[in-house]
Amino acid sequence: MQDLEIVEASKGSGVIIKSYEMAARFVRQFQDVQSVHELQNELLISIQKQQQELLHLQEKTKQLISRTEHFRSVNPFIPYQIEMTADSPCIHHTLQELNFWQNTSSTIVGIRRGNELLLSPGPYASIEEGDIIYFIGNDESLGRVQSFLYPN
């Protein structure tokens, strides 16, 4: 502090403050440095917490995927479902006209139209706006059916 001309030290006399203004500036500068250091520490702690949360989330995701795959292998006949909207070019077409199975490798097991459920619809069943289509297939089926029914 003597080199900064804030104080003057004399043997036997003690320390004398030379400039109160310089002393106040030094204290403010020290507080700024300290607050930057505290901010850095807080950021590092926050990053460590986020990393721990990401590891936890990754572990839970792995567990969910594993259980879902197990559930799917035990219950392969749980159908996917998709709601039909006016955006689909397949509206008002029959399953036969669409060659649904040939284009998707999926089998329609039911169509819900309002309060009615048509199980195992035949080739002459049509797809209408508002229908909910229930189908079964492998893991890629949902994506293939979505792409087929809504190509754009």
Side-chain angles (χ1 to χ4, degrees):
M1 292 177 91
Q2 191 167 342
D3 292 341
L4 296 173
E5 298 184 3
I6 296 172
V7 296
E8 185 177 304
S10 303
K11 279 190 175 181
S13 300
V15 177
I16 298 171
I17 297 176
K18 286 176 67 175
S19 168
Y20 286 102
E21 184 180 306
M22 293 287 284
R25 190 178 308 147
F26 178 77
V27 169
R28 280 193 300 274
Q29 185 179 10
F30 179 75
Q31 287 174 338
D32 287 346
V33 169
Q34 186 177 8
S35 66
V36 167
H37 182 68
E38 289 170 358
L39 184 58
Q40 287 173 336
N41 283 339
E42 288 176 18
L43 285 172
L44 288 174
I45 290 169
S46 178
I47 289 170
Q48 288 172 347
K49 286 179 182 177
Q50 283 184 335
Q51 288 172 336
Q52 290 172 349
E53 280 297 315
L54 285 173
L55 288 173
H56 179 74
L57 180 61
Q58 184 179 25
E59 182 59 34
K60 293 300 175 188
T61 302
K62 285 179 184 177
Q63 288 176 6
L64 178 63
I65 290 170
S66 174
R67 290 179 184 175
T68 301
E69 288 171 352
H70 174 70
F71 184 73
R72 240 334 174 190
S73 68
V74 172
N75 300 302
F77 297 111
I78 295 178
Y80 296 98
Q81 68 182 51
I82 190 166
E83 185 173 352
M84 299 305 300
T85 66
D87 298 331
S88 176
C90 300
I91 299 295
H92 306 304
H93 291 280
T94 66
L95 300 181
Q96 183 177 29
E97 291 170 335
L98 295 172
N99 287 323
F100 189 83
W101 183 85
Q102 292 85 345
N103 285 302
T104 64
S105 300
S106 300
T107 301
I108 293 180
V109 295
I111 299 175
R112 178 172 298 283
R113 185 169 294 145
N115 292 329
E116 287 186 51
L117 177 62
L118 174 61
L119 292 175
S120 189
Y124 303 111
S126 64
I127 295 179
E128 304 300 331
E129 183 178 352
D131 285 355
I132 297 177
I133 308 297
Y134 297 96
F135 59 95
I136 57 173
N138 61 22
D139 290 340
E140 292 84 30
S141 292
L142 181 59
R144 278 196 307 266
V145 170
Q146 286 174 330
S147 295
F148 178 70
L149 295 175
Y150 298 97
N152 295 329

